[in-house]
Amino acid sequence: MFNIYSKEIEWGGRTLKFETGQIARQADGAVMVTYGDTVVLCTAVGARDVKPGQDFFPLTVNYQEKTYAAGKIPGGFFKREARPSEKETLVSRLIDRPLRPLFADGYLNETQVICTVVSHDLENDPDIVAMIGASAALTISGLPFLGPIGGCRVGYKDGEYILNPYMQDYAELDLDLVLAGTHEGVLMVESEAKQLSEEVMLGAVAYGHEQMQAVINAIIDLAEQCAKDPREIAPVNPAVAAVKEKLLAGGIIEKFTEAYQEQNKLARQNNISAVKAAAVEGMEAEEVSIAGSLFKKLEAQVVRGSIIKTGMRIDGRNTKQIRPIVAQVGLLPLTHGSALFTRGETQALVTSTLGTGQDEQIIDQLEGSYREHFMLHYNFPPYSVGEAGFLRGPGRREIGHGKLAWRAIHPLLPAKEDFPYTLRVVSEITESNGSSSMATVCGTSLALMDAGVPLGAPVAGIAMGLIKEDKDFAVLSDILGDEDHLGDMDFKVAGTENGVTALQMDIKITSITQEIMKIALEQAREGRLHILNEMGKALTSGREGVSDHAPRITTFTIPKEKIREVIGTGGKVIREITEETGAKIDIDDDGTIKVAAVDQDQADAAVNWIKSIVAEPEVGVIYEGKVVRCVDFGAFVNFMGARDGLVHISELENRRVATVNEVVNEGDIVKVKCIGIERGGKVKLSMKRVNQETGEDLEAGEQAEG
């Protein structure tokens, strides 16, 4: 019934197995990939026909984690996996980016890749397994995919590279780098690093590319056994050549060349739109559609050719120049920290907010739940590019850009024990013309420092581009939006003056060489140092103390056995403290207490209240308390948190007292001296030994006189 084909290799000290022919047989390609005990089912399906009028390649990649894979049931009311988590979205992008440039030109059929985690051993991250599984499914599918690709994760610790480190070791690494590529070169890189040098980063890429070759060969071996016959691509419409000839004859190249001389983005776009409108005037509807699909290639010919020939770009810069930068901080009066970072026609308004442990984000993943105290949210409203559009929730692009900036800043944050705040950064992209994610990195660094966060060092980011024509190429610093769309590479590097903290690379051609990567990294370092210098004109380190509008956090420790007394039955005591003082209180299991309040008096009141609850009475010390109950033999006084003590009737006054109510009644505020603590913890108090007016210890006075 089944024709099962499989291929196994030893890779990174574990067995990697590809298997097809048993599951999901109606998909064009389906491969079950096992690494350790992590298993991912990867499928690929391409529509048989192109939709009428289709002029782009509609590829969708979906990575999904099923909770049953780790023996868990989803939380929440519905008990069913719902919308994609942040990790699922990021991994979907991670897989999509190296696959997309390898589909044959002219293939426009709707194509979908789905990677489903069906078993997770909590040791081997499914993201790499899913990536190479998607490559294998496409390679055997018969779709016009010019792969396969391989992929791997590279760690770095103690001067050594580590292939596919175990998940539990991630926190100890100095580098977490994921890359994908073909036999010839690298297509995609994504990483977070602890201020590593460009040489170490380049070495990690080279090491990973070498290690993935075994995976590529294994996929080829599997495909030789069971790959389907390749599909034919729909022939090029003969009308395309005729329309192209008509456009060229009308001088479209010369007109585009003139339009691109305008350096202002909006004016340039208007000029280009006018050229296009004039070019299609008088054409039939089908010719207009064909012309629309040709314009991008013709524009690319103009922009790319000019850079290769002259070394000058459409905004008048050479290949290494950075656009003018203005960095400002403290713009918004009531935010905890704010910055406006403007680079040319790209601008980010970034705010930072300091919160308490109660503001931490609870994240539930297959690997288990954890709390995140640093959040970075990136927003890209339509007005930033001069458009009108619907305001929707964050899409894959927004989540991906926000995570890239998060990785760039994360290694420089102070330890939570040293700076016990929850941090939320929001980047509003108010203008965009190239690399708004790197503007977010710069703005985030400034906004956090403006709020008083002691960053290890300021962080800046820069986006690099590439124009490659045959053997000629040009690496571009600080790319424009047009250079991104029409170029061959988007290479983003973030870091400090000491080293790289994040690197992301996407290639639109089949691969690039290490020579190009080396040049790009060095050029990016020069650009990063220039940007850091410009940022330094606004702020070079965290301000002394947090913002006046941010909560002050006081941290202290109580004995663990006292935690229950502070919380109270059903949380009664801690609720009373927060309601009365207005402070926020976090209690850790080890007895660490964090009290946060914008008003220091509120924080002091809460701290003193808690300390009074956990404090132990001391013999000979005078306290102020409240009479809570009167009995025949004395009065019970609440003098320390929830602690009551007895003032025996004989200790009320220096005379014979017939009834307690002659001296005190419930609700009276009195001063008492602790005169003894019995073995069971009962406290003996005295009023007659204290001057009720001044609080003076009368016994101490008598001893001094004697």
Side-chain angles (χ1 to χ4, degrees):
M1 183 175 183
F2 301 117
N3 292 319
I4 300 175
Y5 302 92
S6 65
K7 176 67 180 179
E8 287 187 17
I9 61 170
E10 287 299 311
W11 189 48
R14 284 145 278 177
T15 300
L16 174 66
K17 180 180 179 181
F18 297 92
E19 185 174 281
T20 186
Q22 184 176 22
I23 298 176
R25 291 172 295 163
Q26 295 185 46
D28 290 322
V31 179
M32 188 81 83
V33 187
T34 304
Y35 195 47
D37 284 328
T38 292
V39 184
V40 183
L41 172 63
C42 302
T43 62
V45 176
R48 295 291 166 183
D49 301 302
V50 182
K51 290 182 180 179
Q54 185 80 40
D55 61 355
F56 66 95
F57 174 40
L59 171 66
T60 303
V61 177
N62 294 103
Y63 167 87
Q64 52 188 6
E65 296 181 336
K66 299 297 183 179
T67 56
Y68 60 72
K72 296 172 63 176
I73 294 174
F77 181 76
F78 292 104
K79 300 299 177 186
R80 182 178 187 140
E81 291 87 357
R83 64 181 185 179
S85 66
E86 181 181 272
K87 180 182 178 182
E88 288 173 313
T89 300
L90 293 170
V91 176
S92 296
R93 281 171 51 87
L94 200 69
I95 298 169
D96 180 300
R97 286 155 46 195
L99 296 180
R100 189 174 291 271
L102 292 183
F103 283 87
D105 287 341
Y107 177 69
L108 302 178
N109 302 43
E110 185 172 358
T111 301
Q112 184 178 41
V113 175
I114 300 176
C115 302
T116 307
V117 181
V118 294
S119 178
H120 190 0
D121 61 11
L122 307 184
E123 290 186 339
N124 297 288
D125 204 320
D127 55 0
I128 296 298
V129 184
M131 180 188 296
I132 59 181
S135 169
L138 285 167
T139 301
I140 68 171
S141 68
L143 300 178
F145 175 66
L146 308 179
I149 65 165
C152 66
R153 171 174 268 104
V154 177
Y156 184 74
K157 185 180 179 182
D158 298 329
E160 294 185 359
Y161 296 114
I162 305 167
L163 176 63
N164 297 333
Y166 290 105
M167 297 183 71
Q168 58 265 33
D169 297 331
Y170 285 0
E172 305 300 321
L173 299 174
D174 293 329
L175 170 67
D176 179 9
L177 181 143
V178 173
L179 73 161
T182 62
H183 268 317
E184 291 74 29
V186 176
L187 284 163
M188 183 276 298
V189 178
E190 185 83 39
S191 66
E192 178 181 336
K194 294 180 180 178
Q195 300 188 78
L196 297 178
S197 69
E198 282 74 12
E199 290 75 19
V200 171
M201 298 299 291
L202 188 61
V205 173
Y207 173 81
H209 185 248
E210 178 185 349
Q211 296 299 318
M212 74 173 66
Q213 299 307 311
V215 176
I216 295 172
N217 292 333
I219 295 173
I220 291 172
D221 290 345
L222 180 70
E224 287 175 348
Q225 299 177 56
C226 59
K228 296 180 180 177
D229 293 335
R231 283 197 199 177
E232 292 186 4
I233 302 176
V236 177
N237 185 345
V240 172
V243 173
K244 184 177 181 180
E245 186 63 34
K246 185 181 292 188
L247 291 172
L248 293 174
I252 190 75
I253 296 294
E254 293 74 18
K255 292 174 182 177
F256 272 148
T257 300
E258 183 179 352
Y260 271 106
Q261 299 302 310
E262 174 57 58
Q263 296 183 11
N264 178 272
K265 176 187 172 183
L266 293 179
R268 183 169 65 248
Q269 288 178 337
N270 290 334
N271 292 348
I272 293 167
S273 296
V275 170
K276 292 177 180 179
V280 299
E281 193 173 342
M283 286 187 179
E284 301 291 334
E286 183 182 359
E287 291 180 311
V288 171
S289 176
I290 293 171
S293 65
L294 290 172
F295 283 142
K296 183 177 180 180
K297 293 181 179 179
L298 295 170
E299 289 179 73
Q301 182 179 331
V302 170
V303 174
R304 295 164 64 90
S306 173
I307 293 172
I308 292 292
K309 290 174 186 175
T310 68
M312 300 301 293
R313 298 150 73 175
I314 55 180
D315 62 352
R317 289 181 292 152
N318 64 33
T319 58
K320 293 186 177 182
Q321 277 181 300
I322 311 297
R323 288 171 290 175
I325 291 172
V326 177
Q328 302 163 268
V329 294
L331 279 78
L332 305 177
L334 295 180
T335 59
H336 298 167
S338 62
L340 183 69
F341 181 83
T342 308
R343 187 189 60 241
E345 295 171 304
T346 294
Q347 186 180 76
L349 177 63
V350 187
T351 60
S352 58
T353 306
L354 278 57
T356 68
Q358 297 175 21
D359 299 310
E360 290 180 339
Q361 183 178 15
I362 300 174
I363 299 176
D364 187 22
Q365 293 188 162
L366 284 185
E367 298 81 13
S369 298
Y370 68 95
R371 302 175 75 93
E372 179 56 64
H373 77 287
F374 174 44
M375 296 160 280
L376 198 157
H377 299 145
Y378 166 102
N379 297 316
F380 193 86
Y383 66 75
S384 65
V385 288
E387 296 177 355
F390 290 108
L391 283 178
R392 298 185 175 91
R396 288 188 176 188
R397 179 181 180 276
E398 285 78 10
I399 292 173
H401 280 24
K403 190 63 175 181
L404 174 59
W406 185 96
R407 289 191 182 103
I409 298 293
H410 182 246
L412 278 303
L413 291 178
K416 190 177 177 182
E417 297 75 27
D418 300 329
F419 193 74
Y421 286 92
T422 296
L423 306 174
R424 181 185 183 231
V425 172
V426 179
S427 174
E428 307 284 359
I429 302 304
T430 49
E431 296 180 27
S432 180
N433 184 16
S435 193
S436 53
S437 63
M438 294 298 95
T440 295
V441 171
C442 301
T444 297
S445 177
L446 291 167
L448 287 172
M449 292 191 296
D450 185 49
V453 178
L455 281 185
V459 187
I462 184 171
M464 312 297 294
L466 173 70
I467 303 295
K468 189 173 185 296
E469 297 288 349
D470 298 323
K471 294 183 179 180
D472 295 326
F473 68 89
V475 175
L476 313 178
S477 296
D478 181 23
I479 56 174
L480 300 172
D482 287 332
E483 291 169 341
D484 185 6
H485 300 319
L486 305 176
D488 297 320
M489 177 180 76
D490 184 7
F491 189 22
K492 297 169 182 171
V493 186
T496 69
E497 63 179 9
N498 299 316
V500 176
T501 58
L503 188 155
Q504 184 185 83
M505 182 182 74
D506 291 307
I507 302 298
K508 301 174 187 177
I509 52 181
T510 54
S511 65
I512 65 167
T513 64
Q514 284 199 41
E515 177 197 3
I516 293 175
M517 280 196 68
K518 185 175 182 180
I519 292 172
L521 278 169
E522 176 56 29
Q523 206 164 305
R525 188 187 69 84
E526 295 172 1
R528 185 173 80 245
L529 294 178
H530 170 76
I531 295 170
L532 284 168
N533 184 62
E534 294 299 306
M535 290 168 56
K537 295 175 182 178
L539 207 56
T540 57
S541 62
R543 295 192 188 280
E544 231 15 85
V546 298
S547 162
D548 292 340
H549 303 294
R552 265 64 175 170
I553 296 181
T554 304
T555 303
F556 60 99
T557 303
I558 64 171
K560 288 193 281 188
E561 60 270 17
K562 295 287 187 178
I563 293 175
R564 182 178 297 178
E565 295 179 33
V566 176
I567 294 174
T569 304
K572 178 182 178 182
V573 175
I574 198 167
R575 278 200 305 273
E576 183 181 2
I577 298 173
T578 56
E579 289 170 3
E580 290 289 330
T581 66
K584 289 184 177 182
I585 302 168
D586 294 327
I587 304 179
D588 295 337
D589 293 338
D590 64 355
T592 300
I593 293 185
K594 301 183 186 75
V595 176
V598 174
D599 188 325
Q600 191 61 45
D601 291 340
Q602 293 177 322
D604 292 342
V607 169
N608 292 335
W609 193 331
I610 294 170
K611 286 184 175 179
S612 73
I613 293 173
V614 301
E616 293 292 337
E618 296 180 39
V619 175
V621 175
I622 294 173
Y623 300 94
E624 186 173 83
K626 181 179 180 181
V627 178
V628 292
R629 189 159 58 99
C630 294
V631 292
D632 292 341
F633 51 85
F636 286 95
V637 176
N638 174 237
F639 70 99
M640 179 182 284
R643 181 67 70 93
D644 295 345
L646 174 66
V647 180
H648 191 269
I649 193 169
S650 63
E651 291 290 335
L652 289 173
E653 287 189 347
N654 283 313
R655 65 180 178 87
R656 181 178 176 81
V657 177
T659 63
V660 172
N661 293 119
E662 289 179 24
V663 181
V664 292
N665 293 290
E666 288 185 16
D668 288 352
I669 303 298
V670 297
K671 295 177 178 64
V672 294
K673 180 178 181 177
C674 177
I675 58 175
I677 302 173
E678 297 181 355
R679 182 174 296 179
K682 293 181 180 179
V683 180
K684 297 165 63 177
L685 303 174
S686 173
M687 287 176 56
K688 71 180 185 181
R689 307 185 195 199
V690 183
N691 185 317
Q692 294 298 310
E693 294 292 331
T694 64
E696 179 187 356
D697 186 341
L698 298 176
E699 283 187 325
E702 291 172 0
Q703 292 171 359
E705 290 174 5

